[in-house]
Amino acid sequence: MTDNEQTYDPETGGRDMIDLSGGRTDAPSPPASPEALSPDEIRLSNMTAKIVEALKTVYDPEIPVDIYELGLIYKVDYDEPGDVKIEMTLTAPGCPVAGEMPGWVEQAVTRVDGIERCEVEMTFDPPWTPDRMSDEAKLELGWL
């Protein structure tokens, strides 16, 4: 299983990197030019982009920003032939859509061509904070 873990740097607020190394810290950086990528790396990169695009269609109904930019997605695992496991959180444990949000995420991701199944696991460890939001989300909310 390939591990596409979203990393978060609390000092810079950066969270838009997807770790395609499978969680290995000693893995080499991917080649800079598309010509140097293997067909598997290209396929994984394309699938990752499609999954992120799907996640960006799901919005917290109380905040006009998608769940990806809000930093609610902690981890995405993609396993060929089309199984996805997503670990996510909510802005607060008592969020009124806590029971519905995982279904929204599952529906959005299973609409991606090539995805057969999507399992969404909710976690509150670590708890979400506004520091997890992207600069795009902060700008949208007028926090920048």
Side-chain angles (χ1 to χ4, degrees):
M1 179 175 287
T2 303
D3 183 28
N4 298 332
E5 184 171 336
Q6 179 178 326
T7 58
Y8 172 68
D9 181 350
E11 290 186 20
T12 66
R15 60 163 219 66
D16 287 332
M17 291 177 29
I18 304 275
D19 177 10
L20 300 178
S21 68
R24 291 179 34 220
T25 55
D26 63 337
S29 299
S33 67
E35 302 83 37
L37 295 175
S38 73
D40 286 341
E41 289 170 320
I42 292 170
R43 195 169 33 257
L44 180 58
S45 178
N46 289 340
M47 185 57 74
T48 299
K50 289 177 184 178
I51 292 169
V52 168
E53 185 177 326
L55 291 170
K56 287 184 172 194
T57 68
V58 180
Y59 283 76
D60 183 311
E62 296 178 339
I63 304 170
V65 176
D66 69 77
I67 62 169
Y68 182 81
E69 296 299 336
L70 276 175
L72 299 181
I73 304 300
Y74 285 178
K75 187 176 183 178
V76 176
D77 286 331
Y78 172 74
D79 186 19
E80 299 221 324
D83 292 338
V84 177
K85 290 183 182 178
I86 296 175
E87 185 177 301
M88 66 172 291
T89 194
L90 299 170
T91 55
C95 179
V97 295
E100 299 171 71
M101 183 76 72
W104 298 343
V105 171
E106 181 182 329
Q107 287 176 355
V109 172
T110 54
R111 285 187 196 120
V112 172
D113 224 14
I115 299 297
E116 299 298 320
R117 291 184 314 146
C118 179
E119 178 184 324
V120 179
E121 179 183 330
M122 198 66 69
T123 185
F124 295 98
D125 184 29
W128 179 86
T129 67
D131 292 338
R132 293 195 55 87
M133 292 191 305
S134 69
D135 286 344
E136 181 179 310
K138 290 176 185 175
L139 185 62
E140 182 71 28
L141 294 173
W143 292 12
L144 279 182

